[in-house]
Amino acid sequence: MKAPLKWLLAYTDIKYEDTKEFAENVASLMTLSGSKVETVDRLESKIHRVVVGKCVEIVRHQNSDHMFVCQMDVGEENGGVTQIVTGAQNVKLGDHIPVALDNSVISGGREIKAGKLRGEISNGMMCSFEELGLDFKNYEGGIDDGVMVLEDLAMFKGSDFDAFIGKDIMEVLGVCYKDYVIDFEITSNRADCFSVTGLSREAAVTLGGKLEMPEIKVKEEAAGEAKDSVSVFVSDENLCPAYFARTVRNVKIEPSPKWMRERLEAAGVRSINNIVDITNYVMLELGQPMHAFDKRTVRGGKIIVRRAGEGEIFRTLDGIDRTLNANMLVISDTVGPIGIAGVMGGENSEIRPDTTDIIFESATFDAVTVRRGAKSVGLRTESSSRFEKGLDPKLAYCAINRAAQLVEELGAGEVEKGIVAFTREDAFAEREVPFDWEKINAFLGTDIPLEKQTEILENLECRVDAARKVIVPPYFRHDLICLADVAEEVARFYGYNNIKSTLLANCEMTLGSRTKLQRVRDIIRTRMADSGYNEMLTYSFESPSVHDKLNLPADDPHRDFVKILNPLGEDYSAMRTSMVPTVLKTLAFNYAQRNKKVRLFEIAFVYLKNGSDTELPEHREQLAVGAYGETDFFALKGAIEAVVAELKAGELEYKANKELPFMHPGRTADVFLAGKKIGFMGQIHPTVAESFECPRESFVAVLDLRPLCDAAVEIPKSKELPKFPGITRDIAVVVPKSVSQGEVAAIIRQRGGKLLESCELFDCYEGIQLGLDKKSLAYSLMFRNPDCTLKDEDVEKPMKKILNGLESIGAELR
């Protein structure tokens, strides 16, 4: 909800200050009291040094057949009479026209300077609507071709035009409304705050001021009565608890006064004419949408509120034919629809320039029905957005009287006596809500006196009965339902910052700390970031079609996903069972943005079915890593091992995996920790990379987080430095290429016994002299006895065992 600050404070006794500091202070205080502010923007015309000038002389340009040399009186303060050369064909002697002076700025930030046109000096230029950033359609009498002539505009009919000479054109047009506009984020339960008066009420209580609402009083000076002009019938009182109609005769359709146009434009609503502007003004001011019908178009003089017919066709004000259905509510006359209830009026009953009699409508419609109707026709309006939050019949009654009052104040017509109304029996019923000041203090952990709580609630227009322990909320506060709601009102205006931190009742103070899993997550994030990886945050929802892109077989368990009952769409209809599609889509997005080098990781959950659809799925937390550009398998492996080393979780082991259909068969490995598989890593299969539109050489790793957490050592045990020297042995073996170095290293460690302290690969060689299907692996082995110095013969036995074991996999000593 965008609220101009001047208008917001106009209904309070708080003095307005036209400074940024004041506006931001108001915004800050209202945010603290629960009315969250999104932005504070300065509203000010960008047009500079454009004034009204009078054409006092006009002659044809000697060197042009279509240009004129004009002498324009722009006021003594601007230098008096100045020469302007123009090509506009609609300029006449005596016309009052916007003149952009030397060093002026017009629409789009374009600067205007004095210069020569065909040899004649021009000290500026005459301006059209477009050059002032205005739409000529919004000004009766305005034209698209030519400059703006004030005498042609209906809004200035009967004006003293010479009084405008030298004045800023934007001020003359009423579009130079300097103010600060505060954009509030209003929650759906606070329908009252979707209005200026609702926010004024909040501001008054927050800033310690007093609400000063204008008195609504209608004179009803027309001779006739409304009941003789129109009748109302409501077919279903549950869909329309209240409907009010007023009639106005001898209407004068003309532009609205400057103050109304200024407020509407500041709030982002285009001014149309005085009658339409009144309905929009009341909607913004009170939060109650209204509509005005041309009385002559209401056939039979009867308004009927009914359900739409299935397939009924109706043309709305925007000129589009809408197909209605039986779940929608329409306003109809005796022949057919003239409006979609709570959404938009019809083209057949709109206010026209020759309208003389009108019918004002103000009603309360069922919120769900309005929302469904707006959605069905694909038309969400300012009106429907308010109705679907739930409005009160008393507000509708106040709004129609306020509209009638404005008609009389603007001299726009004569209001007939009385209101034609339909109201459900309980339309104006009051509600009582529990109020116990002691329970509120216990709930909030405060010691706010009864007097202070009562003062806050009464400032919010609640009637407090402390003896009976109840309050009666005002009609516009449908969100006050239970004691907790009342406590919230007390807390936010007492000031959350004034509530001291206290322990819960019957609780002892405990030292807060993070769990081991939380600490492991932090370590992983820090280490991955140190390795140059950026953390991503993605949706847990997935499209079922990604399983086809991964080349998964039909019986793969990952295809058995948890379905979402009310998905946002097909692309978000399943809970993900794998992190791989998420990583690949994110890599593809970055690739499409032409990012040449990408390193990403995320700690997130996958959701695996745990039996039937009625059981909760298994939430498995995983570390997912993705990269492309200037990287390879070993770089990814290094980043993973750096994380494990930081966690002190032990050494990782790897085994080649050629079975994953979405991974490259020759560049993929399963990852093991303490003999248990915890994930996989490697390069994505080229066809899968192509289907996801990411680089062919994209690398992915997925590791389960729980095993890493269980193995992580937070307080490492110290180990005494060795007292005795060790013996180093280097061994090089020739093995088939199908044998991985991990298999060789595993046999060496298994056969090396207790004396083997370490085993490190230091060379891998392939050459034609070894054979096309052979490779050489060289290891450095360290043997050590912590109790004594080893001798060469002590190492011979484990070395023989190692060589015997290697022979079983076809290894030959090189």
Side-chain angles (χ1 to χ4, degrees):
M1 171 71 188
K2 291 187 177 182
L5 189 54
K6 280 184 186 176
W7 192 4
L8 181 68
L9 298 182
Y11 302 132
T12 71
D13 60 355
I14 301 166
K15 185 179 179 181
Y16 171 82
E17 297 178 20
D18 192 21
T19 64
K20 184 178 181 181
E21 292 75 18
F22 177 76
E24 289 181 345
N25 184 53
V26 172
S28 176
L29 292 173
M30 292 194 69
T31 296
L32 288 174
S33 68
S35 301
K36 183 185 176 185
V37 172
E38 288 290 306
T39 58
V40 179
D41 298 317
R42 177 65 175 170
L43 184 67
E44 194 169 23
S45 174
K46 301 298 187 292
I47 307 299
H48 178 59
R49 281 180 56 80
V50 181
V51 301
V52 176
K54 180 180 181 181
C55 182
V56 296
E57 181 182 314
I58 179 170
V59 295
R60 282 202 171 273
H61 196 298
Q62 293 182 355
N63 300 320
S64 173
D65 59 355
H66 70 283
M67 301 182 78
F68 299 92
V69 179
C70 302
Q71 304 300 319
M72 303 296 295
D73 182 1
V74 293
E76 292 299 326
E77 64 274 23
N78 299 311
V81 177
T82 188
Q83 181 168 296
I84 303 290
V85 178
T86 181
Q89 302 300 305
N90 63 321
V91 179
K92 303 184 299 298
L93 188 66
D95 283 347
H96 292 75
I97 298 166
V99 176
L101 303 174
D102 184 28
N103 292 320
S104 60
V105 178
I106 61 174
S107 178
R110 180 182 166 195
E111 295 183 5
I112 303 299
K113 296 184 180 294
K116 286 187 176 182
L117 291 176
R118 301 280 182 93
E120 291 286 351
I121 293 176
S122 181
N123 295 313
M125 66 176 286
M126 299 182 191
C127 297
S128 64
F129 283 92
E130 182 179 1
E131 286 157 344
L132 295 177
L134 304 173
D135 187 348
F136 75 95
K137 297 177 183 176
N138 295 339
Y139 297 86
E140 187 179 346
I143 61 172
D144 186 26
D145 184 18
V147 296
M148 177 193 295
V149 178
L150 301 190
E151 281 83 354
D152 294 342
L153 305 183
M155 64 186 291
F156 295 119
K157 185 178 180 181
S159 298
D160 179 7
F161 292 97
D162 285 348
F164 296 148
I165 294 175
K167 290 187 176 180
D168 187 302
I169 183 60
M170 306 309 281
E171 291 184 3
V172 172
L173 293 172
V175 293
C176 188
Y177 188 69
K178 297 180 181 180
D179 195 6
Y180 288 91
V181 177
I182 302 179
D183 191 358
F184 292 90
E185 180 185 334
I186 310 297
T187 54
S188 58
N189 65 317
R190 290 301 305 274
D192 61 303
C193 286
F194 281 88
S195 66
V196 174
T197 54
L199 292 170
S200 296
R201 188 178 294 108
E202 294 284 309
V205 182
T206 299
L207 303 175
K210 182 181 179 182
L211 189 68
E212 297 179 343
M213 289 291 297
E215 181 184 3
I216 299 177
K217 190 174 182 180
V218 187
K219 297 177 182 178
E220 299 180 338
E221 295 178 339
E225 294 192 21
K227 65 180 182 179
D228 297 329
S229 300
V230 66
S231 62
V232 173
F233 172 77
V234 176
S235 63
D236 189 336
E237 64 179 18
N238 292 321
L239 300 182
C240 180
Y243 192 100
F244 303 101
R246 267 191 178 275
T247 53
V248 181
R249 291 193 177 278
N250 302 320
V251 171
K252 302 172 185 176
I253 304 298
E254 56 190 10
S256 298
K258 178 182 175 182
W259 65 268
M260 181 175 283
R261 295 200 310 273
E262 285 179 342
R263 288 185 172 183
L264 290 174
E265 296 283 351
V269 176
R270 179 171 61 92
S271 174
I272 299 175
N273 58 52
N274 52 355
I275 298 301
V276 176
D277 287 356
I278 284 173
T279 61
N280 287 331
Y281 185 86
V282 172
M283 178 183 70
L284 293 175
E285 182 184 52
L286 301 180
Q288 171 67 45
M290 291 186 58
H291 192 66
F293 300 107
D294 188 329
K295 183 178 178 299
R296 62 189 171 183
T297 65
V298 180
R299 293 155 294 192
K302 187 174 184 178
I303 291 177
I304 303 168
V305 184
R306 60 171 175 83
R307 288 185 181 273
E310 193 66 41
E312 195 170 10
I313 304 297
F314 174 63
R315 177 169 293 186
T316 48
L317 276 171
D318 54 6
I320 298 176
D321 289 332
R322 314 277 179 177
T323 302
L324 312 181
N325 59 61
N327 294 323
M328 300 168 62
L329 200 63
V330 296
I331 311 300
S332 176
D333 56 19
T334 55
V335 178
I338 55 176
I340 302 176
V343 181
M344 184 178 281
E347 188 180 73
N348 57 355
S349 61
E350 68 176 329
I351 303 299
R352 296 179 173 85
D354 61 345
T355 297
T356 56
D357 299 325
I358 64 170
I359 299 173
F360 275 132
E361 162 201 275
S362 183
T364 304
F365 302 117
D366 177 63
V368 175
T369 303
V370 171
R371 181 179 62 81
R372 287 175 177 170
K375 187 176 180 181
S376 295
V377 295
L379 191 64
R380 194 168 190 269
T381 61
E382 288 282 348
S383 175
S384 66
S385 66
R386 285 169 169 80
F387 273 118
E388 64 190 27
K389 293 171 178 62
L391 300 178
D392 192 89
K394 190 172 182 180
L395 179 63
Y397 178 79
C398 294
I400 200 163
N401 285 330
R402 176 63 170 156
Q405 178 188 23
L406 289 171
V407 166
E408 293 177 339
E409 289 180 357
L410 269 56
E414 299 171 358
V415 180
E416 290 191 314
K417 295 178 176 62
I419 300 176
V420 179
F422 166 84
T423 55
R424 197 170 62 191
E425 187 176 348
D426 61 345
F428 297 108
E430 292 184 332
R431 299 178 298 111
E432 289 186 346
V433 177
F435 169 68
D436 187 324
W437 71 281
E438 292 175 326
K439 285 185 178 180
I440 287 176
N441 277 329
F443 182 69
L444 297 176
T446 56
D447 190 19
I448 306 173
L450 171 61
E451 294 75 16
K452 182 62 177 177
Q453 294 191 26
T454 301
E455 178 189 350
I456 291 172
L457 293 172
E458 288 180 345
N459 286 339
L460 293 171
E461 301 185 34
C462 296
R463 296 206 312 270
V464 180
D465 189 337
R468 294 179 54 229
K469 293 186 176 182
V470 296
I471 66 166
V472 178
Y475 66 89
F476 48 81
R477 290 302 301 272
H478 285 201
D479 59 306
L480 298 182
I481 299 172
C482 61
L483 185 67
D485 297 326
V486 180
E488 181 185 5
E489 298 303 297
V490 172
R492 67 192 186 95
F493 288 110
Y494 176 72
Y496 292 118
N497 54 321
N498 294 324
I499 299 177
K500 297 179 180 179
S501 299
T502 58
L503 290 174
L504 295 173
N506 302 320
C507 289
E508 296 181 359
M509 184 176 292
T510 57
L511 180 64
S513 64
R514 300 171 73 83
T515 65
K516 182 180 180 182
L517 182 57
Q518 289 172 329
R519 293 192 292 271
V520 166
R521 290 194 194 108
D522 288 343
I523 291 172
I524 293 174
R525 289 189 174 103
T526 301
R527 196 65 192 86
M528 291 300 295
D530 290 344
S531 298
Y533 286 76
N534 295 309
E535 186 171 9
M536 60 182 181
L537 184 64
T538 59
Y539 288 115
S540 298
F541 309 137
E542 193 59 270
S543 169
S545 63
V546 297
H547 302 118
D548 297 327
K549 290 184 178 181
L550 292 177
N551 295 333
L552 295 179
D555 59 347
D556 192 286
H558 288 92
R559 287 184 176 272
D560 191 15
F561 54 82
V562 178
K563 297 179 182 178
I564 298 173
L565 295 178
N566 55 340
L568 298 174
E570 180 64 21
D571 290 342
Y572 301 97
S573 61
M575 301 300 290
R576 65 183 170 202
T577 57
S578 170
M579 288 296 297
V580 175
T582 300
V583 174
L584 292 182
K585 286 194 292 185
T586 311
L587 291 179
F589 175 80
N590 282 271
Y591 186 60
Q593 307 305 312
R594 299 188 179 182
N595 293 329
K596 296 181 179 179
K597 180 180 176 181
V598 174
R599 308 282 186 274
L600 299 170
F601 78 95
E602 181 177 18
I603 299 174
F605 288 95
V606 294
Y607 304 86
L608 307 177
K609 265 196 176 179
N610 197 5
S612 65
D613 291 333
T614 59
E615 294 185 30
L616 288 174
E618 176 191 353
H619 292 47
R620 183 177 296 176
E621 195 169 12
Q622 295 181 332
L623 166 64
V625 186
Y628 71 77
E630 300 179 23
T631 190
D632 56 18
F633 178 92
F634 299 102
L636 181 62
K637 178 173 174 283
I640 297 299
E641 289 182 342
V643 169
V644 177
E646 190 78 17
L647 294 173
K648 301 176 181 62
E651 291 190 11
L652 295 178
E653 297 179 6
Y654 307 89
K655 289 185 180 179
N657 186 341
K658 301 181 180 180
E659 306 302 322
L660 292 176
F662 50 87
M663 301 296 290
H664 193 295
R667 300 178 184 176
T668 302
D670 288 333
V671 183
F672 292 81
L673 180 64
K676 181 180 179 182
K677 181 181 175 181
I678 63 169
F680 62 89
M681 61 172 292
Q683 182 179 333
I684 292 296
H685 197 288
T687 59
V688 174
E690 185 178 347
S691 65
F692 278 91
E693 299 182 0
C694 56
R696 290 173 64 87
E697 292 195 359
S698 297
F699 295 86
V700 171
V702 178
L703 304 179
D704 288 338
L705 205 63
R706 177 52 64 181
L708 284 174
C709 178
D710 293 341
V713 176
E714 295 190 279
I715 304 176
K717 294 181 181 179
S718 60
K719 186 177 181 181
E720 186 180 11
L721 291 173
K723 297 179 180 179
F724 302 98
I727 294 178
T728 302
R729 291 285 187 270
D730 291 344
I731 181 175
V733 292
V734 179
V735 296
K737 286 186 178 180
S738 60
V739 177
S740 68
Q741 79 85 17
E743 295 178 73
V744 177
I747 292 176
I748 292 174
R749 291 190 182 96
Q750 179 186 1
R751 298 261 177 167
K754 295 181 179 179
L755 295 180
L756 181 63
E757 185 178 77
S758 65
C759 168
E760 294 182 2
L761 176 73
F762 68 84
D763 184 52
C764 179
Y765 172 75
E766 295 180 12
I768 192 169
Q769 62 269 38
L770 296 178
L772 296 177
D773 60 344
K774 299 285 186 178
K775 63 183 176 182
S776 172
L777 301 174
Y779 294 86
S780 178
L781 312 181
M782 171 63 75
F783 294 90
R784 192 191 305 274
N785 190 329
D787 300 323
C788 64
T789 301
L790 286 176
K791 299 179 181 179
D792 288 342
E793 53 265 28
D794 295 330
V795 180
E796 289 179 2
K797 186 176 180 180
M799 284 297 295
K800 287 182 179 179
K801 283 187 176 182
I802 290 171
L803 293 174
N804 291 335
L806 292 176
E807 289 178 0
S808 65
I809 59 171
E812 299 175 2
L813 190 63
R814 187 178 177 189

